[in-house]
Amino acid sequence: MIEYNYIKTRRNTVNLVQNMNENQLKAILKTEGAVMVIAGAGSGKTRVLTNRIAYLISEKNVLESNILAITFTNKAAKEMKERIYSLVGETSKYIWINTFHSMCVRILRQNIELLGYNKNFTILDVSEQKSIIKNILKELNLSEDSYQPNNILKIISKAKNNMTSVSDMRSQSRFGFMKNVAEIYGHYQNYLKKNSVLDFDDLMLKTIVLFEKHPEVLSIYQNKFQYIHVDEYQDTNVIQYKLIKMLSAVHKNVCVVGDDDQSIYSWRGACSDNIINFEKDYDNVELIFLDQNYRSNSTILDAANAVIKNNTERKEKALWSENKSNRKISIYGALNDKDETDDIARKILELNKEGIKFRDMAILYRTNFLSRSMENSCLSFGIPYKLIGSLKFLQRQEVRDLLAYLNVIVNRADEFSLRRIINVPKRGIGATSMEKIDKYANEYGLSLFEALENIDMIGVSKKITTNVHLLTNLIKKYSNTENYSIDELIIGIYKDSGYENMLKESSDPYAESRIENISELVSSAKQFSSMNDSLIDFISEMSLTSDADDENIEDAVVLSTIHAAKGLEYDVVFIMGLEESLFPSIRDADSSEDERNKMEEERRLAYVAITRAKERLFMSFANRRMQFGSIKMNRKSRFIDEVPKELTHFESAFGSTPSDKKDSNIEQANKFISNLSPKINITKKAKLSNDMNYSTGDIVLHKKFGEGKVLDIKTDSVKVEFDEVGVKILLIEYANLTRKD
């Protein structure tokens, strides 16, 4: 234990350490050498970090300019600056408190001329990057349809963050698509250097290059930064890790703060192994655990600890709190998704009557498409709400695109909607072609759609002519709306327009989420059709809902994905959609090891969700949920089963159900559905027979992965070992496998 009684006579120091627990105090006073603070959720890490910096200044007499503090967001950097200012005053402005990117900008402004760039370089925004890529595609005679600028930029970004150079990519990609991407990458980097501009990813990469090529520059900053601090260390990627390692090589006074149990961003490059590697790269690392939680009550923490302990790749620890509670966690097994969201809405109104403000309550979900049904229930029950980190469901691009198609189908004179979809998906119809089409329409007094019907007369390329014919024929085909239900219309447009292929072939990391949103739109349409067959009424309903004003927005329930809610806290938290295949969501695992890693990240995500709650926690799942217009039966998430039963109160739409009978709700739901509608017959066997013509052991063909052998079949997924790409786990609904006879 650190001796700290001597400091109590010194007023400033006392202020910095008062009301600190022993481990917090240890993290503040251990200033020399490598220190890793494993800070659990709600353990006061920000206060520890800021007070540690203040202690270095006021008690260790360290010059402010010799201190570096790195955060991940501008908001976090601003908060840290304000807190340190309140502790040490004006001198805090000399501390380097930056995000990784802003730190690199400061370094590059002073030294980038050594790399052949102007020190007054500009930083490109996304639209400028797209424009450059489009010009390069023209130079290389490559199609934008095949090499979509957004996707190309994401590949380049990933390459830079993995420190993959142009020459590396060229040597790794000698054939096909990636060979051309490597050439685009090369042209792109040449353009940037020629024009002395950098993109966002270059800021860190060029700093590394600068340090490697000019060690004298590195030496300046190594000697300058005597004390280095890094927040949210579990979210660092490969290049960020290397930057810290380089900068701390001389003084080796580096303090990193993070929590391996809250590492949930591997999909954007974060490497949780950095915490493990830290202990290997630095000598005599002081490991300090902040395990006292000041946010949640003991019941919530016991639940969180019980869930996360099932992960194997973690540092053993358990959060605890002095805030004891006998209130149990509520678990609700809903009949369906509407029952689930309506139950949440009713409970919110009850809690609000008890005096809990709307703004102190949050509804969290694994994936964005779940917000649709929750938004509907909030609107129905008159509950003000706001979304964090995403648009409202009906404002999302893919939803608006498909609704625009529906608008044109019922009203060909709707020029606004037609212009929205005319080149979505890409049909090669750019500004020049649109000018020709508009000129023709104006000259002959035609509507835009009528002009498109006469595309042969306008003088555009053969490719555009063909694509326009496909579009107008699509609109005409589905104009006979009486031949289709609304959900059939949406599915037909989605597939026949090329929208489906656009998303499935996209390398956009959000493509899967966009597909899920379309699935939810189809489900919404099917539910609407069961009550009203009018397409016009459906479109009107969507428009009115989309245009609904936010009321009392200052006091509104928060709807958020769990990712977007990280770092936030609420008195009351609802976690919805806790169903196997939905949360946890394990898709496209390349191997059993990959599957295990993904499951552990899903469990960390559950841990983050649970620890957002301060006083009350509600968890729910739906026994059946409509996705892509079909009803799917679900088992409750394993994360619910991992919460000790003595901590929970279980109820369901079928009455009180013993939570240890895993399939009891499924069985009851099947009976209920059978009695309600003899037409609905949902069993695993039916699912397989309807969607598949193959079984375990069969040789199958996939259009992208080629030939493979079926290893295992589950309710909604199939595991296949492909000759070229190895083992893949595919969703049956999207697998499109055919048996090789």
Side-chain angles (χ1 to χ4, degrees), residues 103-120:
M103 175 191 73
C104 290
V105 169
R106 292 181 71 173
I107 293 171
L108 292 172
R109 289 290 183 207
Q110 297 298 316
N111 304 280
I112 200 170
E113 287 174 311
L114 295 170
L115 298 179
Y117 289 77
N118 190 309
K119 69 177 181 179
N120 295 320

Side-chain angles (χ1 to χ4, degrees), residues 194-205:
K194 180 182 176 183
N195 291 275
S196 221
V197 295
L198 301 179
D199 63 21
F200 207 58
D201 297 308
D202 271 331
L203 298 175
M204 288 191 291
L205 184 60

Side-chain angles (χ1 to χ4, degrees), residues 409-679:
I409 283 170
V410 299
N411 179 17
R412 297 181 191 178
D414 184 351
E415 187 172 311
F416 181 82
S417 294
L418 183 53
R419 288 185 184 276
R420 179 181 182 95
I421 62 164
I422 196 167
N423 203 40
V424 179
K426 295 285 186 183
R427 298 185 174 94
I429 308 172
T432 303
S433 299
M434 281 306 305
E435 286 178 10
K436 291 180 180 180
I437 295 167
D438 287 334
K439 183 179 179 182
Y440 183 87
N442 292 331
E443 186 175 342
Y444 292 96
L446 304 175
S447 69
L448 179 58
F449 189 87
E450 289 169 334
L452 294 177
E453 289 184 296
N454 291 280
I455 193 68
D456 298 277
M457 310 296 292
I458 296 178
V460 294
S461 70
K462 185 178 179 181
K463 176 186 175 183
I464 293 175
T465 300
T466 301
N467 287 339
V468 168
H469 280 309
L470 290 172
L471 174 62
T472 55
N473 289 338
L474 173 77
I475 301 300
K476 292 174 183 177
K477 173 185 175 181
Y478 290 109
S479 292
N480 298 316
T481 56
E482 64 277 4
N483 297 334
Y484 309 93
S485 64
I486 303 171
D487 54 295
E488 287 173 340
L489 271 173
I490 296 172
I491 292 172
I493 292 166
Y494 175 58
K495 291 179 178 294
D496 293 349
S497 67
Y499 212 108
E500 179 183 38
N501 288 336
M502 177 186 76
L503 291 182
K504 286 186 175 181
E505 294 171 5
S506 172
S507 59
D508 183 349
Y510 298 103
E512 185 177 299
S513 176
R514 296 179 67 190
I515 292 171
E516 289 172 339
N517 287 333
I518 292 169
S519 165
E520 192 63 15
L521 180 65
V522 172
S523 299
S524 179
K526 190 156 189 171
Q527 291 169 350
F528 187 89
S529 293
S530 66
M531 299 177 287
N532 190 326
D533 289 331
S534 171
L535 176 59
I536 293 292
D537 288 346
F538 176 74
I539 293 172
S540 298
E541 177 80 11
M542 295 296 103
S543 299
L544 290 170
T545 304
S546 179
D547 292 339
D549 293 330
D550 292 324
E551 297 179 8
N552 197 19
I553 196 65
E554 291 300 315
D555 186 25
V557 174
V558 168
L559 275 62
S560 174
T561 64
I562 302 166
H563 283 100
K566 187 174 178 292
L568 304 177
E569 59 184 44
Y570 303 92
D571 289 347
V572 180
V573 169
F574 295 84
I575 308 173
M576 60 176 290
L578 278 158
E579 299 140 33
E580 290 291 308
S581 80
L582 192 58
F583 190 19
S585 174
I586 305 294
R587 301 181 183 180
D588 296 327
D590 295 322
S591 63
S592 58
E593 179 69 13
D594 187 31
E595 184 174 352
R596 184 187 64 79
N597 290 338
K598 288 187 175 186
M599 181 58 72
E600 295 220 341
E601 178 146 339
E602 289 293 299
R603 188 171 281 109
R604 292 195 293 270
L605 197 59
Y607 175 82
V608 167
I610 293 169
T611 54
R612 298 312 93 195
K614 296 165 69 176
E615 297 296 334
R616 301 282 299 272
L617 177 63
F618 298 81
M619 307 171 81
S620 61
F621 63 97
N623 285 290
R624 60 187 177 98
R625 188 178 297 278
M626 187 172 287
Q627 290 179 260
F628 248 127
S630 63
I631 296 174
K632 293 186 176 181
M633 305 303 299
N634 303 304
R635 287 184 63 172
K636 68 178 182 289
S637 169
R638 68 191 69 193
F639 302 147
I640 290 177
D641 291 330
E642 290 172 358
V643 177
K645 292 180 179 60
E646 63 269 20
L647 300 178
T648 67
H649 168 71
F650 185 87
E651 59 180 320
S652 78
F654 314 102
S656 183
T657 305
S659 56
D660 58 343
K661 295 182 181 178
K662 293 184 179 180
D663 293 323
S664 60
N665 289 330
I666 301 291
E667 292 167 3
Q668 290 183 61
N670 272 315
K671 290 177 183 177
F672 181 89
I673 294 167
S674 298
N675 294 332
L676 183 67
S677 176
K679 296 179 182 179

Side-chain angles (χ1 to χ4, degrees), residues 385-419:
Y385 72 95
K386 61 181 179 181
L387 278 84
I388 291 180
S390 69
L391 296 169
K392 291 186 175 182
F393 181 79
L394 293 172
Q395 295 172 347
R396 294 169 193 167
Q397 177 184 335
E398 56 279 1
V399 175
R400 292 177 68 86
D401 286 344
L402 290 180
L403 289 176
Y405 271 100
L406 294 180
N407 283 333
V408 176
I409 283 170
V410 299
N411 179 17
R412 297 181 191 178
D414 184 351
E415 187 172 311
F416 181 82
S417 294
L418 183 53
R419 288 185 184 276

